[in-house]
Amino acid sequence: LVQRFFRNASKMLRPLGEIHVSHKTGQPYDRWEIEGLALEFSLLKFEMVAFRKEDYPGYNQKRGDGDRCDEEFPLRNDCTFKFQRWPR
């Protein structure tokens, strides 16, 4: 899913445009290798900041599936990765 997002988003990126992806960090989430997936489409991480829910009005985190899929989960170890096309 993330790989396809990067592929499609990179085609729509304007010069000096940015792609932001918010994602949990630490195990097991680091296994997603967000930076490596982005690099496949010439996207290089230039910044990583702590995720701030207040930066995204209307955002509500939900579990992915299962009986508790509509329940929120605690936001911990979340970062927003910021990418630009390489070379800048």
Side-chain angles (χ1 to χ4, degrees):
L1 177 67
V2 176
Q3 185 179 42
R4 287 181 180 168
F5 168 77
F6 281 132
R7 181 182 63 219
N8 292 324
S10 68
K11 294 175 188 175
M12 295 184 274
L13 198 59
R14 293 181 180 186
L16 302 177
E18 300 178 5
I19 295 173
H20 295 193
V21 176
S22 296
H23 195 270
K24 285 190 168 292
T25 57
Q27 288 299 325
Y29 308 102
D30 289 343
R31 286 188 269 172
W32 287 44
E33 298 182 1
I34 297 289
E35 293 177 57
L37 292 174
L39 197 54
E40 290 179 31
F41 302 97
S42 300
L43 300 170
L44 188 67
K45 181 186 83 179
F46 69 91
E47 186 175 23
M48 185 170 94
V49 297
F51 175 77
R52 294 173 11 108
K53 186 175 179 176
E54 57 271 15
D55 290 341
Y56 302 91
Y59 174 84
N60 292 301
Q61 70 274 19
K62 300 291 182 182
R63 297 180 183 277
D65 62 0
D67 295 338
R68 302 179 339 167
C69 64
D70 284 332
E71 294 179 18
E72 291 189 1
F73 57 87
L75 295 174
R76 301 189 283 269
N77 302 323
D78 304 306
C79 290
T80 299
F81 296 76
K82 300 180 181 184
F83 300 94
Q84 284 186 322
R85 185 174 307 283
W86 178 256
R88 291 189 230 177

